Amino acid sequence: MAPKVKDICNNCNKNVVSNDRALSCSICDKWFHIKCERVPVADYDFLQKSDDSIQWVCKGCKGASQKICKMLTLMHTRQDKIETEVVGLANSLKHCNEKINSVDKNLSQLNENLPKMVSQQISQIIDDKSEEEKREANVIIFGIPETEEGDSKMKDTEFIQGLCSDSLGIDNIAIDEITRLGAKPKKGSGKFRLTRNNLFRNAYKLKDTKIGAHKKIGIGRDLTKKQREINNALRIELGQMKKDFPHRSWAIRREKIVELPKSGIPPWAPDT
């Protein structure tokens, strides 16, 4: 496009006439002498011979366009980041919805099964308590020699009475019933039950008994399966307590581990 007489150079503010070597900016449409813009003559001649597909931009617009390009690039980068975050949030929201649906389903199932579960737990507690009460007055004694001849219950009774009298210092013990548990062993001991609460308070005396037949005797409570599981766990914990605090005395009392006083019932006395 040829300049008009009224066009002036945006740098020197002088008129741009048709015979001047000048270029029009493709962005701001302003005219500039090539000397003012320091455009080489070879570049000017090339632009004059080229078609409109090749554009020329002045230095001012070129700097501004570079800033715009940088801003656009930054905007595209931020847009990509936001889109990635939106996708991540959408996935997280989907996961949360799945979790919520799962929780709702579990709550629904729990609400349906809760009465039954509570009823079963209450029944189990009642059954456990009833079983404990049945066994509360029972005692299991380990290591009683097996009777080979004669009335075994009578001989077991005599042996237990002698055990209580001679080794435990308990006279006139009342035995309601004696029952040996398990199959009769070829050699070794059997078990039986008797009624006598103060056996436990004196059982520790067996440790120092002088009667040979009584040295291998052990006395314990008749526990339910649940009580035995609790007791086994307590014994493991008790062993660790004794390792951690070897200078203190520990024992199991009423399904708890307690520290024993320095004087009184020795720590090996059976749990009461």
Side-chain angles (χ1 to χ4, degrees):
M1 181 179 66
K4 300 176 182 178
V5 177
K6 63 178 180 180
D7 288 324
I8 60 174
C9 176
N10 198 56
N11 281 345
C12 65
N13 292 323
K14 294 180 180 181
N15 290 332
V16 177
V17 295
S18 59
N19 59 346
D20 287 341
R21 290 179 175 176
L23 295 170
S24 174
C25 177
S26 300
I27 295 178
C28 64
D29 289 332
K30 294 180 180 179
W31 284 89
F32 299 85
H33 292 116
I34 65 172
K35 289 184 179 180
C36 295
E37 283 289 296
R38 296 181 180 179
V39 178
V41 175
D43 291 349
Y44 171 78
D45 292 339
F46 173 77
L47 289 170
Q48 291 300 309
K49 295 177 182 179
S50 64
D51 56 23
D52 293 339
S53 63
I54 299 178
Q55 305 292 321
W56 178 81
V57 180
C58 68
K59 292 180 179 180
C61 291
K62 184 177 181 180
S65 64
Q66 288 177 343
K67 291 181 179 179
I68 292 173
C69 288
K70 289 182 179 179
M71 291 178 62
L72 289 174
T73 301
L74 181 61
M75 289 177 63
H76 282 302
T77 302
R78 291 180 176 177
Q79 182 179 2
D80 292 341
K81 182 179 179 181
I82 291 173
E83 288 177 353
T84 301
E85 292 177 349
V86 168
V87 172
L89 289 173
N91 291 333
S92 298
L93 182 60
K94 180 180 178 181
H95 183 67
C96 289
N97 288 333
E98 291 174 353
K99 285 286 188 181
I100 291 173
N101 292 334
S102 177
V103 171
D104 289 341
K105 183 178 179 180
N106 291 336
L107 286 175
S108 177
Q109 292 177 349
L110 181 60
N111 289 333
E112 293 177 1
N113 298 330
L114 186 60
K116 182 179 179 180
M117 293 170 60
V118 172
S119 177
Q120 289 176 344
Q121 288 292 327
I122 292 176
S123 298
Q124 185 64 47
I125 292 173
I126 293 174
D127 292 343
D128 290 343
K129 188 63 178 177
S130 176
E131 186 67 19
E132 289 176 14
E133 290 176 352
K134 290 178 181 178
R135 296 169 179 255
E136 189 174 13
N138 297 342
V139 175
I140 296 181
I141 298 182
F142 306 89
I144 300 292
E146 190 69 34
T147 302
E148 299 296 337
E149 299 178 356
D151 189 339
S152 60
K153 288 193 175 183
M154 181 179 295
K155 290 188 177 182
D156 287 342
T157 302
E158 293 173 354
F159 184 92
I160 294 166
Q161 289 174 339
L163 171 70
C164 296
S165 176
D166 300 337
S167 293
L168 304 181
I170 304 173
D171 295 322
N172 301 321
I173 184 170
I175 300 175
D176 292 342
E177 182 180 352
I178 294 176
T179 303
R180 283 187 175 266
L181 303 178
K184 181 178 179 180
K186 295 179 180 179
K187 290 184 180 181
S189 63
K191 301 177 182 179
F192 70 95
R193 303 177 184 183
L194 58 78
T195 302
R196 190 64 177 178
N197 290 334
N198 63 352
L199 278 177
F200 296 117
R201 300 183 184 276
N202 294 274
Y204 70 92
K205 296 177 182 179
L206 288 172
K207 184 176 179 66
D208 299 318
T209 182
K210 304 299 182 182
I211 301 175
H214 296 173
K215 286 184 176 294
K216 296 182 179 181
I217 300 300
I219 299 176
R221 292 184 299 162
D222 185 14
L223 304 177
T224 65
K225 180 180 179 181
K226 184 176 181 179
Q227 287 176 312
R228 290 196 298 271
E229 291 174 352
I230 295 174
N231 192 57
N232 289 337
L234 286 172
R235 289 184 181 279
I236 294 173
E237 185 179 352
L238 177 63
Q240 188 61 46
M241 294 288 287
K242 289 181 177 180
K243 289 181 180 179
D244 295 340
F245 306 97
H247 301 297
R248 297 162 69 176
S249 296
W250 304 93
I252 300 174
R253 292 291 181 268
R254 300 185 184 279
E255 298 184 350
K256 293 181 180 180
I257 295 178
V258 299
E259 184 177 4
L260 297 176
K262 293 183 179 180
S263 60
I265 299 177
W268 58 80
D271 179 18
T272 56

